[in-house]
Amino acid sequence: MIHPEKKLIETADGSHTIQRTDMDETYHSINGAWAESMHVFITNGFRRVPACANPVNILEVGFGTGLNAFQTYLEIHGTARKVHYVALEPDPLPKAYWAIMNYPDYAGIPDAYPVFAGMHQAAWDLPVFVGETFVLHKMSLRLEDAGLAEGAFHLIYFDAFAPSKQPELWQPDVMKRMFYALKKEGVLVTYAAQGELRRNLEGAGFLVERLQGAQGKREMLRAIKP
């Protein structure tokens, strides 16, 4: 089903994203969806988790197009690493969109499309194996309705819409919930870098690093639970 407020567009590196015309917002950077996800969530997130963490327990706030989950799968493909991936998404993307997205073209592995399609076709609200070492647990919940156990995750991909579009997801109480849900020395990464967000993270107890942002963005934030 096509939703009038959602539009498939091509970003600067050739990879697709979704534009929300009703919010004047895109799911990824127009300067390169594939490149942004790789820089923020894989290079500065997943690769920051110690190798001794196996499986790596990941929480994603905003499954969206499935790009972050797909790149995480590719990161462990052919290795001994395992991932248990929990993704919160109250507004799943219809097949009419994800079925024509070109992320599998960037994967560099055979049979990439069945993996990407399998992530979207996986049942909701229960864990499903995607391959032998990647467990995907998509939850059709808003973050504020999700029960998150203390110290459950090594890594959080905080990929909600921008603070100006979804301010309720960037408030101090939300950052405290993220702190609670992380293990000690756990990592939260996000593309955003606003001063208020940094203060909210620090107020929750995080040690916050300002890092080079993806193409077109000066900075991003990485927060560590001490």
Side-chain angles (χ1 to χ4, degrees):
M1 179 183 295
I2 297 294
H3 293 187
E5 75 279 5
K6 295 184 174 73
K7 179 181 177 183
L8 185 74
I9 64 172
E10 184 176 299
T11 64
D13 65 2
S15 60
H16 290 147
T17 193
I18 300 296
Q19 182 181 41
R20 283 285 300 265
T21 56
D22 57 333
M23 298 175 66
D24 189 26
E25 178 76 328
T26 56
Y27 281 43
H28 310 96
S29 171
I30 61 172
N31 295 300
W34 185 271
E36 178 191 42
S37 182
M38 181 62 67
H39 176 81
V40 175
F41 300 106
I42 303 302
T43 301
N44 288 304
F46 189 84
R47 293 176 185 170
R48 174 63 174 73
V49 178
C52 60
N54 197 28
V56 182
N57 297 329
I58 301 174
L59 171 67
E60 179 179 26
V61 179
F63 182 72
T65 65
L67 178 54
N68 297 335
F70 185 53
Q71 287 190 346
T72 304
Y73 172 90
L74 296 175
E75 186 71 7
I76 67 167
H77 180 71
T79 75
R81 210 82 189 268
K82 299 177 181 179
V83 164
H84 187 181
Y85 198 104
V86 176
L88 304 178
E89 180 53 74
D91 183 24
L93 192 66
K95 183 178 180 180
Y97 296 92
W98 63 254
I100 59 174
M101 301 194 86
N102 63 2
Y103 300 150
D105 297 341
Y106 290 73
I109 64 169
D111 301 322
Y113 181 81
V115 172
F116 181 66
M119 289 183 164
H120 282 279
Q121 293 170 331
W124 287 82
D125 301 313
L126 75 161
V128 176
F129 272 95
V130 180
E132 296 181 357
T133 59
F134 192 102
V135 177
L136 176 62
H137 189 171
K138 299 185 298 184
M139 303 179 72
S140 52
L141 292 174
R142 302 180 304 165
L143 173 60
E144 49 267 46
D145 298 326
L148 303 176
E150 182 177 8
F153 300 101
H154 298 95
L155 177 62
I156 294 176
Y157 295 162
F158 204 84
D159 200 17
F161 286 128
S164 60
K165 309 299 180 179
Q166 286 188 312
E168 69 276 9
L169 293 182
W170 302 84
Q171 298 304 310
D173 62 318
V174 175
M175 298 306 123
K176 290 176 182 177
R177 289 194 71 199
M178 298 299 96
F179 187 88
Y180 177 82
L182 277 172
K183 298 179 183 294
K184 292 180 180 179
E185 300 185 359
V187 178
L188 179 151
V189 281
T190 181
Y191 62 88
Q194 290 87 342
E196 182 178 1
L197 171 59
R198 179 180 54 80
R199 291 188 290 273
N200 289 345
L201 286 165
E202 290 175 341
F206 285 103
L207 301 176
V208 183
E209 302 174 275
R210 288 185 179 273
L211 305 175
Q212 176 67 44
Q215 180 68 32
K217 295 185 178 180
R218 187 164 61 90
E219 295 179 324
M220 59 165 283
L221 295 182
R222 180 168 63 201
I224 300 170
K225 180 174 181 175

